[in-house]
Amino acid sequence: MRFVRDEWVPGARAVFEKSPGYIPRQERASWLAGGKHIVSDRIEWVTIADQATAAAALQNGEVDWLQWPLPTSFRRCARTAP
């Protein structure tokens, strides 16, 4: 992954993209060592300071993951299986 400096907003957003010349290593993965395969072409790391706003963004599908959700937001953010 490479950092996309043009899309960086300090304190608000960082973007990472798969490097154009990426070639996965062929050896077997072993925890932090060995071959790894990138499965995402792009990652956007967005900072949302207000926990209620972050929980609402997850619930509305605007973000896919929260790093530090408040325990009170678990029930609100839980999705039921179809």
Side-chain angles (χ1 to χ4, degrees):
M1 299 300 277
R2 69 178 187 87
F3 176 64
V4 182
R5 183 177 297 271
D6 294 344
E7 296 187 45
W8 177 45
V9 179
R13 182 173 180 233
V15 177
F16 302 89
E17 292 181 337
K18 184 191 281 188
S19 298
Y22 171 73
I23 299 172
R25 292 170 42 183
Q26 298 303 312
E27 70 263 21
R28 183 180 174 134
S30 174
W31 188 238
L32 295 176
K36 304 290 187 286
H37 297 275
I38 295 176
V39 296
S40 297
D41 292 330
R42 181 178 172 91
I43 295 172
E44 294 184 25
W45 194 278
V46 179
T47 301
I48 303 173
D50 179 63
Q51 289 293 322
T53 303
L58 181 65
Q59 188 175 17
N60 294 330
E62 298 167 17
V63 297
D64 297 318
W65 177 74
L66 293 180
Q67 183 175 7
W68 301 107
L70 291 174
T72 57
S73 66
F74 289 155
R75 180 174 293 204
R76 180 177 42 218
C77 292
R79 295 185 182 193
T80 57

